[in-house]
Amino acid sequence: MTTDTTTLKTPEPTADTATGTGPLYWTVALGGVATIASTFLSWTYTAEFPGDLTVYGYPGGLQVLTLVAGALLVLFALAALDTKGLRWLTPAGANKPLKLLALGAFGTTWYTVLAIAVELGGLVNLEPGGFVAAVATLIPLAALRLPDDARPLSRPKELPSWAEILIIVAAFAIGLYAVTYGIDTEYPELFIGYLITLGFAVAALIKAGLVQRFSALTATYRGIAVIAAFVAAAAFPFTQSTDQYTLIAVNILIFATVALGLNVVVGLAGLLDLGYVAFLGVGAYTAAIVSGSTASAFDIQFPFWAAVLTGAVVSLIFGVVIGAPTLRLRGDYLAIVTLGFGEIFRIVMLNLDGESGPQITNGPNGIPNIPDLNFFGYDFGEPHTVLGMELGSYANYYLLMLLAMILVVLVFSRAQNSRIGRAWVAIREDETAATAMGINGFRVKLIAFALGATLAGLAGTVQAHVQSTVVPEMYQFAGPVPPNSAFLLAAVILGGMGTISGPLLGASLLYLIPAKLEFLKDYQLLGFGIALILLMRFRPEGLIANRRAQLEYHETGQLDVPQQQKLTDDPAAGTAKAGA
């Protein structure tokens, strides 16, 4: 007689049977469906509100953002209900992402409803679809009752190489579309709604663990990820029909490149430089003087490559000359001296007008009529047809600045991982200890100061040709429009000091948001200050922080001694407990 040893496997518990949260997930999913359906209704009867929200059956303007938020809600709610099919969307837990997405859909929709009421003069201007949308986004708020289900990231199921590469390509394509959509927003209401939706969506993806998994993929296929990122960035001009928004993208790249140069000084070496924008001005003025401008005091015209090298070298010289006597100071004293240098540069440029000083910079009038770059017969000021599409003049400068930023990224990454880069980090953490270990602190800091100045000067040479004029007011410590020293420093801190992608992200946000919200005028600085306060409170290490900063600013418990049961003074009892 044989015994059947086959045992039945217990089915894996679902979200409903394991935690009893199934009804809440279904509520969130149904709320998401209702939110999507509301976007196909008319929200207002007049086309005076931008975006034309009067059409039935076709979402427009801010309705599209509500549609996206609703679709993400449904997708993640189904991922929480399904243990196998869509669960790959929530490797670190589903409840926190659902809460964030519910708040995002609620915030975007109610912002739209209130904006309609304020701009058109009351809730009477809402069509039934607007009320349906407002009520529909209240339903997913049931997710706020979900318990915390955060869990450590598990090793994902291995996919074929082609599938992982396809995921990387698709992610960068989605990123390109999201960035393009934000830059191309035509009115402030749409841009504010875009920021609300994007902010909650990105936070949800981080909490779900998808960003960490994507980072692991890019680390595995680093070469392919770099190529995909470059292709996505280079494809931006081909998505534009005019140069209106390409100019914004060019200025973002200039601002981001200068911020990355400042990251060498502040993020790696720990030197608080409050006059860094002056080096950008040195490069710009140098390029303006030697590039054949009709207003230049010198009748010379260098070719493009020579003008770029001249601007970078002059900035390097200024960096050494200014750094040599000041870098023996530390902390606040160094910050005050560099702040003074930035203001001295601006005042000197004002006084070199032929009256208060030699005629070199035309004083407050600056140097206008800077000619467009011409590189081997390629005129950057003329449109060109590439791959069957016509690219305007700013598209040419965008691609040039993209190459310059890649060069700066390469220099930064090589310097960061070199012996001198490790010396910078040692100086930043504890200069006294680093000096005691044999590091020449003054020489190391001077190298960082000179390198940062060179990178800023390189960006300044391109900025002079893009703007076609340079004036002293462009290089202040603080002002409503970047780049200036305050915004550059904020970009490094906001993005994450000591990283590559952090300052790039911080600079992009700090340039794009003021450019899109010009109607706020002086209130921009108020919002900027409030945002920095909130950032320092909830994420002091920056949006994209390195591991060292995360350990420094947050209590991780990694160094805590595991709690063990105390042994009694009786050796026998202690031995028994230890053996147990």
Side-chain angles (χ1 to χ4, degrees):
M1 182 176 179
T2 60
T3 302
D4 188 4
T5 59
T6 303
T7 59
L8 296 177
K9 291 184 178 180
T10 303
E12 186 177 355
T14 63
D16 194 358
T17 60
T19 63
T21 53
L24 288 177
Y25 292 139
W26 281 114
T27 302
V28 173
L30 292 176
V33 171
T35 300
I36 294 173
S38 70
T39 62
F40 292 89
L41 303 175
S42 173
W43 286 14
T44 181
Y45 64 86
T46 175
E48 292 182 9
F49 188 81
D52 193 7
L53 309 184
T54 64
V55 181
Y56 282 88
Y58 185 80
L62 284 158
Q63 289 175 323
V64 175
L65 299 176
T66 298
L67 174 64
V68 171
L72 289 174
L73 267 174
V74 174
L75 191 62
F76 275 79
L78 293 178
L81 285 163
D82 186 7
T83 58
K84 293 183 179 179
L86 293 175
R87 195 169 183 178
W88 59 271
L89 283 173
T90 57
N95 293 351
K96 283 187 177 180
L98 279 176
K99 294 177 183 178
L100 291 168
L101 291 174
L103 291 173
F106 173 81
T108 304
T109 305
W110 279 76
Y111 162 74
T112 306
V113 170
L114 293 176
I116 293 173
V118 170
E119 293 189 19
L120 301 183
L123 294 175
V124 68
N125 295 281
L126 286 174
E127 284 281 275
F131 293 103
V132 171
V135 174
T137 53
L138 290 175
I139 300 174
L141 292 181
L144 298 178
R145 297 172 52 196
L146 291 169
D148 187 6
D149 68 338
R151 54 182 179 267
L153 283 177
S154 60
R155 183 181 296 274
K157 180 181 178 181
E158 292 188 5
L159 298 175
S161 297
W162 64 266
E164 294 180 337
I165 293 174
L166 187 61
I167 291 174
I168 294 175
V169 173
F172 278 107
I174 295 173
L176 171 64
Y177 179 80
V179 171
T180 302
Y181 186 91
I183 294 178
D184 291 353
T185 48
E186 299 178 351
Y187 46 93
E189 294 87 351
L190 182 60
F191 183 71
I192 294 175
Y194 164 80
L195 289 180
I196 296 173
T197 305
L198 182 66
F200 280 102
V202 171
L205 294 179
I206 293 174
K207 291 297 183 181
L210 286 180
V211 174
Q212 293 89 326
R213 282 197 172 175
F214 180 72
S215 299
L217 275 182
T218 55
T220 303
Y221 301 94
R222 186 177 298 274
I224 294 175
V226 170
I227 294 174
F230 175 76
V231 171
F236 174 79
F238 296 93
T239 65
Q240 305 298 304
S241 57
T242 66
D243 270 349
Q244 178 181 1
Y245 300 114
T246 308
L247 175 59
I248 295 178
V250 174
N251 289 322
I252 288 175
L253 287 183
I254 293 174
F255 191 26
T257 303
V258 180
L260 194 58
L262 178 61
N263 197 26
V264 174
V265 180
V266 177
L268 293 183
L271 306 174
L272 185 55
D273 188 350
L274 298 182
Y276 186 75
V277 74
F279 297 118
L280 177 70
V282 170
Y285 266 100
T286 303
I289 290 172
V290 303
S291 293
S293 170
T294 56
S296 174
F298 304 96
D299 188 18
I300 54 176
Q301 183 171 2
F302 287 179
F304 162 67
W305 62 269
V308 171
L309 288 178
T310 303
V313 170
V314 172
S315 297
L316 169 64
I317 294 173
F318 267 82
V320 173
V321 170
I322 298 301
T326 61
L327 288 178
R328 300 185 187 278
L329 303 174
R330 298 187 189 182
D332 298 340
Y333 301 101
L334 177 62
I336 293 173
V337 171
T338 54
L339 174 61
F341 162 66
E343 287 301 300
I344 289 172
F345 169 79
R346 183 179 62 83
I347 294 172
V348 169
M349 294 301 102
L350 283 171
N351 290 330
L352 296 180
D353 57 357
E355 296 180 2
S356 302
Q359 172 61 26
I360 298 178
T361 65
N362 297 324
N365 296 323
I367 303 179
N369 304 322
I370 301 173
D372 289 303
L373 291 175
N374 194 299
F375 190 57
F376 291 111
Y378 187 92
D379 190 348
F380 281 75
E382 298 292 333
H384 296 274
T385 301
V386 179
L387 300 178
M389 298 185 64
E390 186 177 76
L391 297 181
S393 59
Y394 289 129
N396 299 325
Y397 284 109
Y398 173 87
L399 295 175
L400 174 64
M401 202 61 226
L402 182 62
L403 293 176
M405 190 181 71
I406 292 175
L407 174 62
V408 173
V409 169
L410 182 62
V411 170
F412 181 89
S413 61
R414 293 295 185 183
Q416 181 183 26
N417 298 322
S418 66
R419 180 179 178 181
I420 191 69
R422 292 191 293 272
W424 287 336
V425 174
I427 290 291
R428 181 191 68 194
E429 296 301 321
D430 192 329
E431 183 174 351
T432 303
T435 304
M437 296 301 295
I439 296 177
N440 188 329
F442 173 75
R443 184 182 67 179
V444 168
K445 291 190 292 184
L446 186 60
I447 293 174
F449 210 74
L451 178 59
T454 304
L455 297 180
L458 177 66
T461 59
V462 180
Q463 185 202 33
H465 291 88
V466 171
Q467 303 289 349
S468 75
T469 184
V470 290
V471 292
E473 286 73 17
M474 296 170 60
Y475 309 104
Q476 304 179 50
F477 167 72
V481 179
N484 53 63
S485 292
F487 270 78
L488 287 170
L489 184 61
V492 175
I493 297 174
L494 171 68
M497 293 189 296
T499 64
I500 294 177
S501 53
L504 300 183
L505 175 61
S508 300
L509 292 176
L510 289 183
Y511 189 92
L512 182 61
I513 292 176
K516 287 294 185 178
L517 301 181
E518 292 181 350
F519 72 97
L520 292 177
K521 298 181 181 179
D522 293 339
Y523 290 101
Q524 287 184 4
L525 292 179
L526 174 62
F528 173 65
I530 294 174
L532 284 184
I533 292 173
L534 294 176
L535 179 71
M536 292 299 100
R537 170 61 183 85
F538 296 105
R539 196 170 177 84
E541 72 273 20
L543 296 177
I544 302 177
N546 57 24
R547 185 61 176 166
R548 182 191 298 271
Q550 289 177 335
L551 293 175
E552 180 179 352
Y553 287 106
H554 297 281
E555 295 181 1
T556 60
Q558 289 189 357
L559 301 180
D560 292 345
V561 178
Q563 294 184 356
Q564 297 179 351
Q565 194 174 24
K566 294 183 179 181
L567 300 180
T568 63
D569 294 335
D570 185 0
T575 304
K577 288 184 178 181

